[in-house]
Amino acid sequence: MSSKPAVISVIGSLNVDLVTRTSRVPVGGETLTSESFNIGYGGKGANQAVACARLSRTQQQASKGEKSGVEVRMVGAVGDDEFHEGFLQSLQKDGLNTEGVKILKGKKTGVAVIIVETGTGENRIMFCPGANYDVEEKDLVDDDASVALFQLELPMKVVLHNMKTARKKGVETIINPAPALPLPDEAYHGLGHLIVNETEAAILSGIEHPTNWNEVAAVFIARGVKNVIITLGSEGVFYKTSKQQEGSKDGHIVPARKVKVVDTTAAGDTFAGAYTVAVARWKAMSHGADFNLDEAIAHANRAASMTVQKAGAQSSIPWADEVPES
């Protein structure tokens, strides 16, 4: 076993979440009295970093400051406003290293306005990037990182530059391209892991109404992706590898757990975080062994199923010992 910790570098957004819960979304010109309002911390980058931190340790380990074999580093930017201090303290409480988060003078922290329909648990989100769009285009991936995890709430040029940097350094690279934006071919070349939902898969593959996920995955594999993971909500998760494609084999579907959905916010981020922890541990300790994709996805699925049963973003992400074993 490796004596060095597996290091996860999450390069992404940090947003303050302004969350309103309502029975339905108002139509144009209508005013509704909401059921509740809360302020929380989010952003796909920070959510996924929190998921990595929590799903690599127990709450007891975090409260005692104990090592878990995984170090998670958040890299990004916040503004020097009323939100940043509490935000960074919250991340640190979850066991995150925040030395890579810059506090930008004269800037506002990113904000996400979230409306949650209580009947369905579905959410609608409006994102104001703030300091996230002032992250500089420079090398942000540490040399000792095992895994670099990306999303698309930072400027595209920053993401592409650091994906390229990560691959050059031999760092395992994962991207969850949300919000869905077309990516240049260079983003896919040598990409280790692509995690997309159904909507993102359709937009990025160019197949508007997918009926066969093998066909969609084949598009990404042809572009250079090694492992394609497509989350299908209540239908589970489809995955296909470049090795399966070469052997003319179909991908697999890992079924979802049946649970009562309260709020889908951060479910995808929880899945990405749990999956990333599995990749990081494999990268640090595999010694050449193959990555157990089926096991990693099944575990990530179970973690995400815990998130949707609670309201909120980071507050709904489970700790390692809260995820069922089956």
Side-chain angles (χ1 to χ4, degrees):
M1 182 178 290
S2 172
S3 59
K4 293 183 179 180
V7 175
I8 298 172
S9 183
V10 183
I11 299 170
S13 59
L14 299 97
N15 302 322
V16 176
D17 289 338
L18 308 178
V19 185
T20 300
R21 297 178 64 81
T22 177
S23 59
R24 63 178 176 82
V25 176
V27 299
E30 180 187 18
T31 299
L32 282 181
T33 299
S34 67
E35 296 179 10
S36 66
F37 172 77
N38 288 290
I39 298 176
Y41 302 120
K44 294 201 73 66
N47 286 350
Q48 291 182 13
V50 167
C52 289
R54 290 190 182 182
L55 291 162
S56 63
R57 53 180 52 77
T58 66
Q59 193 166 7
Q60 186 177 29
Q61 284 177 316
S63 65
K64 292 182 178 180
E66 295 177 357
K67 302 293 185 182
S68 70
V70 177
E71 180 184 351
V72 185
R73 300 171 185 168
M74 182 71 224
V75 181
V78 292
D80 63 343
D81 53 16
E82 63 272 30
F83 293 122
H84 81 268
E85 190 172 336
F87 202 155
L88 295 181
Q89 288 175 354
S90 177
L91 295 177
Q92 290 159 7
K93 188 177 179 181
D94 280 333
L96 279 157
N97 180 327
T98 61
E99 292 177 10
V101 179
K102 304 299 182 187
I103 303 170
L104 304 182
K105 290 186 177 181
K107 301 294 182 179
K108 292 288 187 182
T109 301
V111 169
V113 177
I114 303 173
I115 299 175
V116 180
E117 286 186 327
T118 53
T120 63
E122 291 296 328
N123 61 59
R124 292 166 174 80
I125 302 173
M126 292 179 292
F127 168 51
C128 181
N132 292 300
Y133 275 17
D134 290 296
V135 174
E136 296 180 56
E137 184 186 355
K138 64 178 185 180
D139 290 357
L140 299 172
V141 181
D142 293 328
D143 292 343
D144 63 343
S146 309
V147 178
L149 173 59
F150 300 91
Q151 316 77 31
L152 293 180
E153 287 184 346
L154 294 184
M156 182 68 78
K157 62 183 181 180
V158 174
V159 175
L160 294 176
H161 175 87
N162 281 284
M163 286 177 69
K164 187 175 182 179
T165 297
R167 290 195 291 266
K168 280 184 178 178
K169 292 183 176 182
V171 176
E172 201 74 18
T173 307
I174 303 173
I175 186 168
N176 172 217
L181 298 169
L183 292 170
D185 287 346
E186 66 179 277
Y188 299 101
H189 295 163
L191 176 62
H193 311 263
L194 175 69
I195 302 174
V196 288
N197 63 23
E198 295 167 89
T199 302
E200 293 152 2
I203 291 171
L204 295 173
S205 68
I207 300 174
E208 287 188 23
H209 304 289
T211 57
N212 184 327
W213 294 117
N214 281 290
E215 181 184 358
V216 174
V219 171
F220 296 124
I221 291 169
R223 293 174 184 171
V225 182
K226 297 174 185 175
N227 299 290
V228 178
I229 299 100
I230 305 173
T231 57
L232 307 174
S234 62
E235 299 302 313
V237 180
F238 172 91
Y239 74 84
K240 190 170 189 178
T241 69
S242 56
K243 288 183 179 179
Q244 288 171 331
Q245 183 72 20
E246 289 170 7
S248 300
K249 295 180 180 179
D250 288 341
H252 295 288
I253 286 188
V254 178
R257 294 179 75 235
K258 302 302 180 184
V259 298
K260 178 176 172 55
V261 176
V262 174
D263 183 356
T264 58
T265 305
D269 298 330
T270 300
F271 180 94
Y275 181 86
T276 300
V277 169
V279 173
R281 285 184 165 145
W282 163 76
K283 181 76 172 180
M285 298 181 284
S286 67
H287 304 297
D290 288 338
F291 178 54
N292 191 329
L293 197 58
D294 194 83
E295 185 178 295
I297 288 174
H299 177 71
N301 237 353
R302 294 194 296 272
S305 78
M306 303 304 291
T307 296
V308 300
Q309 295 179 72
K310 294 182 180 179
Q314 290 176 16
S315 60
S316 67
I317 298 171
W319 294 86
D321 53 337
E322 294 177 323
V323 179
E325 294 183 6
S326 62

